[in-house]
Amino acid sequence: MKALVVRSLSSDLSGTQIEDIADPVREERQVLVRVRAASLNYPDLLMTRGTYQFKPDVPFVSGLEMAGEVVEADEGSGFTPGDRVMGGAKTGAFAEFVALPVSSLRPVPAGLGFPDAAAMGAAYHTAYVALVELGRLEEGQTVLVHGASGGVGLAACDLAKALGARVIAASHREDKLAVLERIAAPDAAVLNTGRFREEVAELTGGKLCDLVFDPIGGDVFDESTRCVAFGGKLLVVGFVAGRIPEIAVNIPLIKGFSVVGVRAGEYARRFPDRAKRIAAELGRLASEGRISPHIERTLPLARWREAFEAMEAGEIVGKIVLEP
């Protein structure tokens, strides 16, 4: 089969290439899936450099998540050949076939095509864990979403809106604000460079934000500490900016807010029953048309480099899907 293989770690993707390799051999309690679509996530890029927290041994097949059709499964696994499934692991999705544990897969919600199913998993799971499981989002609350043009940020905007929140979408690029207003339909959009707290305060009538969703870190985190309402939560999702910020604990004490770390993948591993419930709820919302991922472009797997470079350059709004 053809697969995107990381042979060596590098800062310029020079150690990554399309190769013809042996089809995966399904083990007991695994499902063999014919991949129809796989979505690109920021950790996929980081893993080619060895800078993600999970560091697989090289060589490995890249790709966190996919959607496709079951080819083989154990009797009693709950899956049969031809079933439409979505899911993934930390690697293996950017290939024509992948063998995954039964626990890593779930049915594609009714009405979703393979590209949407592939684009929905990790981003919406992260958004749900952050906003609902840890943030305890309630209808009518105000959520400030940083990195709103990325796949995870857009998922957070989409989910928060579906659950009745007021959403302020934030980006560091002014040219993306109009695009965000069109595709995410937030209640407001702000530029999160410099001192953006004053604009957030004006938009909220001085009440500030019940939840701040931050996958950026760096200066954005620093200023976000000034944007959280008393009793609110600052959700730490990642550090795309590169700098891991620090905070003096007197700030959340005086301002009465919580700083909450979000490790959505680890949350699912530690609480598998909750992960199943989250997947079912997201599937219901998707089937009802209340949430839907935004796919900016769909490319053949052979054009993987274009996809990775677009992500690195921050060119995309939403998700890129690769089709083997």
Side-chain angles (χ1 to χ4, degrees):
M1 69 172 183
K2 293 193 180 301
L4 184 62
V5 180
V6 180
R7 285 280 167 193
S8 61
L9 304 177
S10 64
S11 61
D12 60 358
L13 301 172
S14 60
T16 303
Q17 60 193 28
I18 295 285
E19 296 185 12
D20 285 306
I21 63 173
D23 291 357
V25 177
R26 182 181 71 86
E27 299 177 358
E28 190 177 0
R29 293 188 291 278
Q30 284 190 329
V31 178
L32 182 64
V33 179
R34 170 69 168 94
V35 179
R36 296 299 185 185
S39 72
L40 181 62
N41 292 278
Y42 200 68
D44 296 320
L45 176 63
L46 296 181
M47 276 190 269
T48 68
R49 303 168 174 171
T51 55
Y52 190 54
Q53 57 235 32
F54 173 68
K55 297 175 172 58
D57 294 333
V58 292
F60 64 90
V61 176
S62 180
L64 279 170
E65 61 181 342
M66 57 87 238
E69 298 161 335
V70 172
V71 178
E72 296 177 1
D74 291 336
E75 188 174 346
S77 66
F79 296 108
T80 58
D83 286 350
R84 300 166 71 247
V85 294
M86 59 189 286
K90 295 183 178 72
T91 60
F94 296 147
E96 293 179 311
F97 296 91
V98 63
L100 293 168
V102 172
S103 59
S104 297
L105 295 170
R106 58 191 182 277
V108 173
L112 255 67
F114 288 125
D116 281 347
M120 188 177 152
Y124 279 83
H125 175 77
T126 299
Y128 196 100
V129 170
L131 297 176
V132 181
E133 295 288 306
L134 302 177
R136 304 299 181 190
L137 177 65
E138 297 178 6
E139 185 176 356
Q141 289 186 324
T142 299
V143 182
L144 172 61
V145 179
H146 294 298
S149 62
V152 173
L154 268 179
C157 290
D158 194 25
L159 181 62
K161 289 283 289 185
L163 297 178
R166 182 170 187 253
V167 175
I168 301 174
S171 173
H172 71 290
R173 286 178 49 166
E174 192 166 5
D175 61 330
K176 289 187 175 181
L177 294 184
V179 179
L180 279 172
E181 289 175 338
R182 176 173 55 83
I183 66 176
D187 296 277
V190 300
L191 196 65
N192 58 3
T193 55
R195 295 295 187 179
F196 54 84
R197 186 263 186 199
E198 302 313 316
E199 186 173 1
V200 170
E202 184 176 347
L203 288 168
T204 59
K207 295 180 180 180
L208 301 177
C209 303
D210 301 287
L211 298 177
V212 176
F213 182 93
D214 179 21
I216 307 300
D219 295 344
V220 166
F221 175 91
D222 295 342
E223 184 67 3
S224 290
T225 63
R226 305 176 66 236
C227 298
V228 193
F230 192 90
K233 296 180 178 70
L234 176 46
L235 304 166
V236 180
V237 184
F239 311 105
V240 173
R243 179 173 70 84
I244 298 177
E246 298 179 354
I247 184 170
V249 294
N250 66 309
I251 297 175
L253 185 153
I254 296 299
K255 295 200 64 179
F257 69 83
S258 303
V259 179
V260 182
V262 179
R263 288 189 64 196
E266 184 63 20
Y267 190 90
R269 284 185 285 276
R270 288 178 179 265
F271 309 111
D273 289 341
R274 297 182 197 176
K276 290 178 183 177
R277 174 177 50 77
I278 291 168
E281 178 63 10
L282 290 173
R284 182 184 69 81
L285 291 170
S287 294
E288 293 175 356
R290 294 174 61 188
I291 58 174
S292 178
H294 176 73
I295 299 173
E296 182 181 274
R297 64 187 87 166
T298 300
L299 301 171
L301 182 59
R303 292 170 62 184
W304 68 271
R305 184 177 291 274
E306 176 184 336
F308 275 67
E309 290 177 347
M311 171 168 280
E312 183 175 19
E315 296 174 359
I316 60 173
V317 176
K319 300 282 283 185
I320 295 180
V321 170
L322 299 174
E323 295 181 329

